[in-house]
Amino acid sequence: GGFIWDFADQALWKRGQNGKFLAFGGDFGDFPNDDNFCCNGLVAADRSFHPSALEARHAYQPVKVDSWDWATKTITIYNAYRFTNLDNVTLRWSVSKDEKVVASGESELKGIEPDSVKEIKLEEVKDGDSILFVFWSKSAGPFAHDEFVKPFARVPAPITGSGKKLDKNPFKINLWRAPIDNDRGWNMPNVCAIWKKATETQVMPEGVESEFDATRLEDGRILVDWTLNVKNVKADAKLPPIPRVGLTFTIPKEFIKVKWYGEGPYENYSDRANSSVVSEYNMVVGVSSGVFTANALNPDNYTEPGEQGYRTQCRWVEFSNKEGKKIKVTALNAPFGFNAWPYTQEDLEKAKHQRDLKARDEITVNIDAAQMGVGGDNSWGARPHDDDMINAGEYVLRFLVEGL
């Protein structure tokens, strides 16, 4: 096993009214066709990486950290090479605390034979919030990594005086996502349509309780507190899985600079985040192009749009413009996931090609308590695994907003 279908998107360059683009089934007047079914690669047709390629690379890495014990400072390393020991490999580690690297070091890995596991004590490691292990060789440089992060420490809600309710609420409940290919494969748009309707109407279906509060504090910040309680409608009939549990709002289009502390640097989801690393990152929201765009928050090289550009496990995210004005969202009860697009979620769902998306006069921001995984066991019926689905339960989202 371990084969992935396919290596590359199978699309062809075609010239249209607005320039060339990567075309797929139906773009050549061909009928019948398979739409974009052949665009399911780890890399795009122009061989730029999709974020999934970086996750696959991590899954295939030949050396892995099976476990790390903060108390005993013991690391367990598995050498998956079949014929090569790790005598020429160096382990480099760095510990972060309060969002800063507070200690680092390295260790030789002599004596770890092929297809074997070994425990090593790293006595010099200091305590922290997270630790990153990177494997280096003289010939390849860094070629494998693993990270271990401690649970998020809840932050007490900073109430300054009594505060007051917002005159106009900029936040809307968002329980939907623009379907991706894997979603369409298990008929998610129809199975979960009740959550799209709830998002459009802001009326929760029977069996769902929503309590939302947004308060303007005396120092100008907004304290947001939202709880969604999802119950079974009947004993023998459950509500369908929820694509997303979050809040959405817009910010001015000039706030294109994005800085966050969370998983990154590239797009990641609950079931596709083993390769990403919790750190501080800087990017720009970017606009859709249909080809890879360097340093852009959104991948932009998907042939057909859908949910994209997500980052998980975020402690905060900050948007700024060229004048230096900032809008910052800070997690209080748990890390959140976020998107920021120069278009709407509805735009993502309706557009046939990534390049068809047009930048709007505002940026759409999603702050989520949860979003279902992207799946991918196959694209013709398999759902994301149970651990990455959102079912009945209580979901709480608490955060502070500055500058809005």
Side-chain angles (χ1 to χ4, degrees):
F3 295 101
I4 296 178
W5 179 16
D6 283 342
F7 169 68
D9 288 351
Q10 298 174 58
L12 299 173
W13 286 111
K14 182 181 179 181
R15 189 166 295 280
Q17 292 181 345
N18 299 317
K20 67 178 185 177
F21 66 100
L22 287 167
F24 48 81
D27 287 333
F28 303 91
D30 51 311
F31 184 84
N33 61 74
D34 279 333
D35 194 62
N36 76 331
F37 186 76
C38 290
C39 296
N40 54 358
L42 291 174
V43 300
D46 63 1
R47 296 321 190 251
S48 59
F49 277 18
H50 288 310
S52 55
L54 303 169
E55 186 77 359
R57 180 178 68 180
H58 182 269
Y60 290 162
Q61 66 185 25
V63 186
K64 305 177 187 294
V65 179
D66 279 350
S67 66
W68 163 251
D69 190 317
W70 286 98
T72 64
K73 299 182 180 180
T74 302
I75 183 176
T76 304
I77 297 174
Y78 171 51
N79 177 12
Y81 281 118
R82 290 298 181 261
F83 306 102
T84 306
N85 61 35
L86 300 185
D87 287 359
N88 293 318
V89 175
T90 300
L91 174 69
R92 297 184 181 181
W93 55 265
S94 59
V95 175
S96 295
K97 187 176 180 63
D98 297 328
E99 304 179 7
K100 295 181 180 179
V101 175
V102 295
S104 61
E106 61 181 52
S107 176
E108 299 298 321
L109 299 179
K110 296 185 183 299
I112 305 181
E113 298 303 315
D115 194 25
S116 67
V117 177
K118 185 174 182 179
E119 291 186 351
I120 298 176
K121 287 265 192 178
L122 299 175
E123 297 289 355
E124 64 273 32
V125 171
K126 295 182 179 181
D127 192 39
D129 300 324
S130 65
I131 185 167
L132 174 65
F133 298 104
V134 181
F135 296 91
W136 285 69
S137 72
K138 291 182 179 179
S139 59
F143 67 94
H145 72 274
D146 283 297
E147 182 186 38
F148 293 82
V149 182
K150 288 183 178 180
F152 179 81
R154 294 179 179 232
V155 180
I159 303 296
T160 305
S162 58
K164 64 177 182 178
K165 302 295 182 184
L166 296 180
D167 295 330
K168 185 177 181 181
N169 179 21
F171 306 99
K172 292 185 178 180
I173 294 172
N174 188 10
L175 307 177
W176 187 244
R177 77 174 179 199
I180 60 174
D181 288 340
N182 291 343
D183 292 336
R184 289 186 283 268
W186 61 273
N187 199 29
M188 185 279 274
N190 292 321
V191 171
C192 302
I194 191 172
W195 302 118
K196 183 178 182 180
K197 181 179 179 181
T199 299
E200 292 172 342
T201 64
Q202 296 292 287
V203 177
M204 298 300 102
E206 182 182 355
V208 179
E209 298 174 355
S210 174
E211 294 184 10
F212 175 83
D213 183 75
T215 304
R216 176 79 67 179
L217 305 179
E218 290 185 356
D219 60 10
R221 293 179 297 174
I222 300 173
L223 174 62
V224 178
D225 193 337
W226 178 51
T227 300
L228 188 77
N229 198 335
V230 183
K231 304 175 181 178
N232 295 344
V233 176
K234 298 179 182 177
D236 59 347
K238 297 180 179 179
L239 288 167
I242 314 173
R244 180 198 305 269
V245 176
L247 298 170
T248 186
F249 60 100
T250 60
I251 60 176
K253 65 179 181 180
E254 62 266 22
F255 284 78
I256 61 171
K257 296 180 181 179
V258 188
K259 182 164 66 174
W260 77 95
Y261 193 88
E263 296 279 12
Y266 37 82
E267 171 191 278
N268 53 85
Y269 292 82
S270 63
D271 55 356
R272 206 180 71 200
N274 288 330
S275 63
S276 56
V277 173
V278 173
S279 187
E280 182 179 306
Y281 299 99
N282 291 271
M283 289 190 174
V284 294
V285 172
V287 294
S288 175
S289 60
V291 295
F292 177 76
T293 304
N295 201 40
L297 188 70
N298 300 293
D300 284 342
N301 63 342
Y302 291 129
T303 52
E304 186 170 353
E307 161 62 34
Q308 58 187 260
Y310 204 56
R311 302 302 192 278
T312 62
Q313 296 297 311
C314 296
R315 279 61 174 168
W316 51 264
V317 59
E318 180 182 275
F319 303 92
S320 60
N321 62 14
K322 63 182 180 181
E323 284 79 32
K325 294 182 179 180
K326 300 175 181 178
I327 298 172
K328 185 176 183 179
V329 181
T330 303
L332 294 179
N333 69 306
F336 55 74
F338 86 93
N339 302 94
W341 309 308
Y343 24 78
T344 68
Q345 186 165 268
E346 185 179 20
D347 292 338
L348 280 170
E349 187 167 358
K350 288 183 175 181
K352 190 62 179 174
H353 302 85
Q354 186 80 16
R355 68 186 299 277
D356 294 336
L357 294 164
K358 305 300 181 185
R360 290 183 174 262
D361 290 334
E362 55 191 12
I363 294 171
T364 298
V365 178
N366 296 314
I367 303 294
D368 298 339
Q371 185 181 159
M372 72 164 61
V374 292
D377 289 356
N378 64 48
S379 60
W380 51 88
R383 299 185 179 193
H385 294 185
D386 289 344
D387 288 347
D388 298 296
M389 297 293 275
I390 306 175
N391 296 300
E394 183 178 82
Y395 301 91
V396 179
L397 186 61
R398 305 184 77 231
F399 58 85
L400 275 174
V401 185
E402 303 172 52
L404 190 64

